Amino acid sequence: MIRLICGLETNPPISRYLHSLGILVYLLAFTGCRPNAPKQNTTSYIVRSAASKTQIPLSLHPLKKIGIPAYTYLHLSLTKKINAHEQVPILLKSLPEVSPDLRRISLQLREDVYWPDGQALSPRDVRFSIKAFACPLLNNPAYASYSENLLSIQALADNPNGLTLQVKPYLLNVDLLNDIPILPEHLYDPNQVLTKYTIEDLRKLDSLQQLPDFRSFSEKFGKIGAYEAVNAGTQPFPIGLGPYEVKEWIPEASLILQRKQSYWASDNDTFPVFSQAPAELHFIATDPVQALRNKEVDVVDNLSPKDFISLTSSQADYYEFSLIPESYFLCIALNVNPDPVKGNQLLRSKVFRQALSHAIPVEQIIQTHYGDVSLAKQVALPLDPDLPSYHPHIQPKTYSLSLSDSLLNLLDAQDRNQDGIREVKIGAKDVPTSFHLLFNSNSETSRVVANFLQDALKPLQIECILEGVSTKVYFERARAHEYDAILRGLTFQDHGVDFKQHWHSESWELFGSTGFANATVDSLIEALRIEQDPEKRLLGSHRMQEIIYDEQAYLYLFSPKRGIALGKQFGPVHLRDRVPIVPLNSLEPINGKVPETLSFNKDN
């Protein structure tokens, strides 16, 4: 038996390889469900992976739950991003074709894809899945805006496996296809309720809730994947188009996937999620660090830099350790759109924000917190620094108290009342250079950064008042924009095209952390979202990056690295920069078996 630990991706984008669950009776035996099924690997070892309790939730609903690593092996989307720059077709014959005006996306489904009950994947399944994804009543409401550009979806009368999406012009529309789990309509919606409604209809929440047929359908749909129903035998385990199916599930404790005995993918499908080497994948709520120390696991794919340092010195005989860049970064978002009466008007000043950006000793924070400055990298923008479109002249802000002091002097910031805090004239008032920083007190990294910032600003006679709150309160206040500044973890953009989520004036209510609004910036963002000329797009992206760097509405800090521990009984493994970082079902022991001398399971 091989045991493996795999950690949770931090701040993932909307990766949702979620489980399909049949409303109808689930066929328990799949051998012979279609002719000429590919020969399956007969290796019988088990891969064990750690997961947090939130990764093994009370419901495995295919649209309402996200971020569970097991979904990658259970469910598939039409396409997949395998790294920041490469998209591949999964359930399509080829990548989608986009019309020159960006208003139409043409899809051609593969003809050799089958559901576990033997029914072929059809355009109806895709149409149903996209409609369900676009409906806030069926999908997680936080992700409703990701489908805002979808207008309609039509099957083609002269092409039984073809579909056309009508969309609002947007360069990145095809990226949405990486994230929509394709569900079997004949199991989820046997009465074809959603076929009666357009995508626009499905966005009208008040109207939909008054319709008896939709209300009945949505109630049943919302219960799919509930543990109580599965445990009571009224619903089967979730199913999907991936190479694995659910064998056993105990919420907040464990989730066991087993290899499908008959699977539609052929030997020509080389994408990692199609591999089926291990007989089972075990996701278990446990402490990955302790499991490594006890030699109970083979792989951990999400070690913090701190844990990485402590384990490399003590476990080198059993594991190969490596570091890869993380997909997220830490920043401090400053509320530049405060309440006109109660809000802190000081942060409206760009010069004051620039002074703050030079006052944070980022490298010292990294060294102190992680023990090695190489375990994280300072960042200057919300973009992946390896992007071809990254501005070549923008570097992280230099730590310099003298430069901060010079900028504060431009504001005539002085300690006029001798209380140890400078004041700035705003109108007729002397406003103290003081602000509150909201952070999640349950995060050790957040606590370290917050305390460093408070201490770093004292020599400049700037007061940073710390507000460490529980996770629940943190998100409540973040949604309500009740803060002067907030410490956040955000995911890098892996493109330099769309800056709308955090920099467009329309995004303040849904996403905005700063409230930044500028008509010129809005126009630039909207133009970038549809600009097809590569040279003009690059120039526009660089201009936007210059604005971000100049405004300092976000104080960009650092991105930690991710530690990987891989048992030495495995052969060469290709790590990825997308989940799964270590494809669990493509791990192969050396010589096709686990050497007895390196087996960590005493019962093996």
Side-chain angles (χ1 to χ4, degrees), residues 125-196:
D125 299 321
V126 176
R127 182 181 59 191
F128 167 77
S129 303
I130 291 176
K131 284 186 172 183
F133 185 90
C135 179
L137 287 174
L138 304 178
N139 191 7
N140 187 322
Y143 294 92
S145 63
Y146 287 103
S147 62
E148 65 182 357
N149 292 324
L150 287 174
L151 298 176
S152 66
I153 178 169
Q154 293 102 26
L156 304 179
D158 58 345
N159 185 347
N161 284 291
L163 289 159
T164 298
L165 289 175
Q166 300 294 334
V167 294
K168 298 176 185 176
Y170 177 44
L171 278 171
L172 302 178
N173 272 326
V174 293
D175 281 2
L176 182 65
L177 304 180
N178 302 323
D179 302 309
I180 299 177
I182 302 304
L183 314 176
E185 183 197 48
H186 66 283
L187 298 180
Y188 281 91
D189 189 11
N191 297 322
Q192 298 188 343
V193 173
L194 288 198
T195 61
K196 305 175 185 178

Side-chain angles (χ1 to χ4, degrees), residues 539-564:
L539 290 174
S541 178
H542 284 180
R543 177 63 187 131
M544 189 66 213
Q545 293 171 53
E546 291 167 356
I547 293 170
I548 289 172
Y549 192 71
D550 180 57
E551 288 290 343
Q552 289 299 308
Y554 292 87
L555 307 178
Y556 295 102
L557 303 177
F558 63 87
S559 173
K561 294 184 179 179
R562 177 193 291 250
I564 308 293

Side-chain angles (χ1 to χ4, degrees), residues 39-240:
K39 183 179 179 181
Q40 300 302 307
N41 190 313
T42 57
T43 310
S44 60
Y45 64 89
I46 294 171
V47 168
R48 184 163 295 204
S49 168
S52 68
K53 290 185 177 181
T54 58
Q55 291 176 282
I56 311 174
L58 296 174
S59 174
L60 297 179
H61 195 284
L63 289 180
K64 297 182 182 294
K65 299 295 179 182
I66 60 173
I68 299 177
Y71 289 167
T72 301
Y73 309 102
L74 288 163
H75 212 89
L76 300 178
S77 52
L78 294 173
T79 58
K80 174 74 172 175
K81 268 285 186 75
I82 59 174
N83 56 52
H85 318 297
E86 187 177 2
Q87 184 182 34
V88 296
I90 298 296
L91 303 177
L92 300 178
K93 282 188 173 181
S94 58
L95 286 174
E97 295 182 7
V98 182
S99 64
D101 62 1
L102 302 179
R103 295 179 181 274
R104 187 175 66 257
I105 301 174
S106 298
L107 311 174
Q108 182 68 28
L109 293 179
R110 292 175 56 151
E111 298 170 358
D112 60 344
V113 181
Y114 291 80
W115 296 102
D117 61 6
Q119 290 207 36
L121 172 70
S122 75
R124 295 198 323 271
D125 299 321
V126 176
R127 182 181 59 191
F128 167 77
S129 303
I130 291 176
K131 284 186 172 183
F133 185 90
C135 179
L137 287 174
L138 304 178
N139 191 7
N140 187 322
Y143 294 92
S145 63
Y146 287 103
S147 62
E148 65 182 357
N149 292 324
L150 287 174
L151 298 176
S152 66
I153 178 169
Q154 293 102 26
L156 304 179
D158 58 345
N159 185 347
N161 284 291
L163 289 159
T164 298
L165 289 175
Q166 300 294 334
V167 294
K168 298 176 185 176
Y170 177 44
L171 278 171
L172 302 178
N173 272 326
V174 293
D175 281 2
L176 182 65
L177 304 180
N178 302 323
D179 302 309
I180 299 177
I182 302 304
L183 314 176
E185 183 197 48
H186 66 283
L187 298 180
Y188 281 91
D189 189 11
N191 297 322
Q192 298 188 343
V193 173
L194 288 198
T195 61
K196 305 175 185 178
Y197 304 103
T198 66
I199 288 178
E200 190 57 37
D201 291 336
L202 294 171
R203 294 191 175 110
K204 298 174 182 176
L205 305 187
D206 293 337
S207 301
L208 283 175
Q209 289 172 326
Q210 307 304 316
L211 301 172
D213 64 339
F214 183 86
R215 187 167 61 248
S216 175
F217 161 76
S218 64
E219 288 174 356
K220 294 177 181 178
F221 186 82
K223 295 176 182 177
I224 290 173
Y227 178 74
E228 292 79 4
V230 172
N231 195 40
T234 58
Q235 290 186 6
F237 283 129
I239 61 170

Side-chain angles (χ1 to χ4, degrees), residues 445-456:
T445 300
S446 294
R447 293 196 303 270
V448 169
V449 172
N451 282 293
F452 254 99
L453 180 64
Q454 184 182 56
D455 291 341

Side-chain angles (χ1 to χ4, degrees), residues 265-392:
S266 71
D267 293 337
N268 296 324
D269 291 299
T270 57
F271 186 67
V273 298
F274 294 127
S275 303
Q276 290 185 293
E280 294 182 0
L281 304 179
H282 290 201
F283 296 86
I284 300 177
T286 186
D287 176 9
V289 174
Q290 194 60 44
L292 280 175
R293 287 175 177 155
N294 293 339
K295 315 295 188 302
E296 296 171 345
V297 298
D298 292 309
V299 180
V300 175
D301 83 338
N302 197 17
L303 286 172
S304 72
K306 222 172 183 181
D307 291 328
F308 179 86
I309 286 292
S310 68
L311 289 163
T312 48
S313 59
S314 62
Q315 307 301 323
D317 290 342
Y318 298 93
Y319 302 99
E320 296 287 348
F321 288 92
S322 58
L323 282 171
I324 63 173
E326 266 292 11
S327 60
Y328 75 97
F329 60 91
L330 268 68
C331 66
I332 297 171
L334 304 175
N335 189 343
V336 302
N337 185 28
D339 183 280
V341 177
K342 299 179 181 179
N344 189 336
Q345 307 304 311
L346 178 67
L347 298 177
R348 287 183 180 274
S349 167
K350 180 169 67 175
V351 175
F352 182 73
R353 301 195 301 266
Q354 291 172 336
L356 292 179
S357 73
H358 290 286
I360 307 174
V362 177
E363 286 196 356
Q364 188 180 347
I365 295 173
I366 295 170
Q367 177 67 44
T368 301
H369 185 47
Y370 296 126
D372 188 331
V373 73
S374 69
L375 295 179
K377 61 182 177 183
Q378 191 172 353
V379 297
L381 293 169
L383 299 179
D384 181 345
D386 294 328
L387 277 181
S389 58
Y390 190 93
H391 199 301

Side-chain angles (χ1 to χ4, degrees), residues 7 113 142 394 455 480 504 548 568 599:
V113 181
I394 291 182
D455 291 341
H504 197 285
I548 289 172
K568 288 189 173 181
S599 175

